[in-house]
C-alpha cells in the first residue's frame, strides 16, 4: 500500500510526543486551518508516493526510537495507509501518536471501519483544528482547544508532562534544507529568519507562519 509522504525524521526527542520518536508528515489536507504551520503539506498533488512497508522498515532501522508520530497534512485523509503504518509500529513494540484536525467525536461519528482501525492502533490522539486565536507555547499542541487524548496505557500520563512548554528541534541536511519538528509559537519563523539572516544565512520560505 502507498502513502503520500511530505517528509519524515527519526530521533526527534520529546517533540511531537514524548521520548525518542520518528515523525512522519503525510501530504494532503483539506482543512486549511488559518495559521497552519505547514501549508506546504495541503496539496494532495504534491509529496512523495512511498510504499508503507518500505517506509516502516526504514523507520525501524533505528533501534533507539520508542515510538512514531504521524502528523501532516491530515493523517485521517489517508486512513488505510496510516493504519497500516501504525500496525507495523505496534507489531514492533513501538508506541503510536497521531495528530488530526478532526475531533475524535467527528471521527467516531463517521462509523467508518478504516477510521476505527486507525484509532484502535493509536495510543495518543491529539485532536481538533488549529485555532490561531488560541495559539501559544503549549506542550505537544499548537492551540489551547486541541486535546491530548490517551486511547491506551502504552504512553503513561507522566510522559505527557516532560515540559511545561512547547519544544522545537531544527534539522539541517547536507543540501542546506531545514526541517523544524514541533509547534513553534506565533511569530517564531520571522524572528528566527531575522536572526540567522543577520549571520549571513538566507532562508527561502514564502509561507512563514504569522
Amino acid at each position: 500500500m502507498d502513502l503520500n509522504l511530505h517528509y519524515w525524521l527519526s530521533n526527534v526527542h520529546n517533540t511531537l510526543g514524548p521520548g525518542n520518536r520518528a515523525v512522519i508528515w503525510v501530504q494532503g489536507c483539506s482543512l486549511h486551518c488559518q495559521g497552519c504551520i505547514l501549508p506546504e503539506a495541503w496539496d494532495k498533488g504534491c509529496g512523495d508516493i512511498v510504499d508503507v512497508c518500505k517506509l516502516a522498515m526504514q523507520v525501524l532501522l533505528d533501534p533507539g526510537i520508542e515510538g512514531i508520530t504521524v502528523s501532516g497534512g491530515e493523517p485521517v485523509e489517508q486512513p488505510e495507509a496510516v493504519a497500516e503504518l501504525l500496525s507495523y509500529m505496534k507489531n514492533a513494540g513501538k508506541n503510536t501518536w497521531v495528530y488530526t484536525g478532526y475531533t475524535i467525536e467527528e471521527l467516531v461519528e463517521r462509523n467508518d471501519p478504516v477510521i476505527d482501525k486507525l484509532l484502535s492502533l493509536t495510543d495518543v490522539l491529539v485532536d481538533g483544528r488549529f485555532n490561531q486565536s488560541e495559539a501559544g507555547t503549549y506542550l505537544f499542541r499548537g492551540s489551547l482547544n486541541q486535546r491530548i487524548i490517551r486511547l491506551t496505557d502504552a504512553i503513561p500520563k507522566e510522559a505527557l508532562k516532560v515540559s511545561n512548554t512547547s519544544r522545537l528541534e531544527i534539522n539541517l541536511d547536507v543540501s542546506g534544507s531545514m526541517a523544524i519538528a514541533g509547534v513553534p509559537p506565533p511569530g517564531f519563523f520571522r524572528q528566527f529568519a531575522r536572526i540567522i539572516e543577520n549571520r549571513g544565512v538566507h532562508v527561502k520560505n514564502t509561507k512563514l507562519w504569522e
Side-chain angles (χ1 to χ4, degrees):
M1 183 176 294
D2 289 338
L3 175 76
N4 193 356
L5 175 71
H6 180 74
Y7 195 71
W8 78 278
L9 289 171
S10 192
N11 269 321
V12 176
H13 184 65
N14 284 340
T15 305
L16 299 178
N20 292 318
R21 316 189 65 75
V23 180
I24 310 292
W25 288 270
V26 301
Q27 182 72 32
C29 179
S30 61
L31 293 176
H32 297 184
C33 297
Q34 184 176 4
C36 174
I37 186 178
L38 196 62
E40 297 91 341
W42 289 355
D43 188 351
K44 293 179 174 65
C46 300
D48 296 316
I49 305 301
V50 299
D51 180 81
V52 171
C53 179
K54 291 181 179 178
L55 176 61
M57 295 306 103
Q58 282 186 285
V59 170
L60 293 171
L61 284 175
D62 184 349
I65 66 163
E66 302 166 50
I68 185 174
T69 294
V70 184
S71 187
E74 176 50 63
V76 304
E77 293 184 10
Q78 298 185 65
E80 296 93 344
V82 171
E84 183 173 328
L85 179 62
L86 297 177
S87 180
Y88 278 114
M89 296 300 114
K90 295 293 285 183
N91 289 337
K94 309 300 181 182
N95 64 59
T96 58
W97 182 292
V98 175
Y99 285 88
T100 177
Y102 297 93
T103 66
I104 192 170
E105 291 84 3
E106 288 174 321
L107 298 179
V108 171
E109 285 173 4
R110 293 186 188 186
N111 197 27
D112 183 334
V114 181
I115 295 290
D116 292 344
K117 180 180 180 182
L118 187 158
L119 292 175
S120 74
L121 293 165
T122 301
D123 295 316
V124 171
L125 185 77
V126 183
D127 77 341
R129 292 156 183 76
F130 172 72
N131 186 334
Q132 194 170 24
S133 67
E134 296 187 79
T137 57
Y138 308 111
L139 182 64
F140 301 144
R141 54 186 176 150
S143 58
L144 188 59
N145 62 295
Q146 295 172 320
R147 299 176 296 180
I148 300 174
I149 304 170
R150 292 173 68 244
L151 299 179
T152 77
D153 294 328
I155 299 177
K157 289 182 180 179
E158 294 73 22
L160 305 184
K161 301 175 182 178
V162 295
S163 172
N164 59 4
T165 188
S166 59
R167 284 177 51 90
L168 294 176
E169 289 196 16
I170 299 173
N171 295 268
L172 292 173
D173 64 21
V174 293
S175 70
S177 295
M178 180 176 64
I180 296 180
V183 185
F188 167 82
F189 283 131
R190 293 192 183 280
Q191 182 180 6
F192 179 68
R194 285 196 298 269
I195 291 171
I196 62 176
E197 285 183 347
N198 287 339
R199 300 184 181 184
V201 179
H202 179 62
V203 178
K204 293 182 178 179
N205 188 341
T206 60
K207 298 181 179 180
L208 296 175
W209 193 29
E210 296 289 347

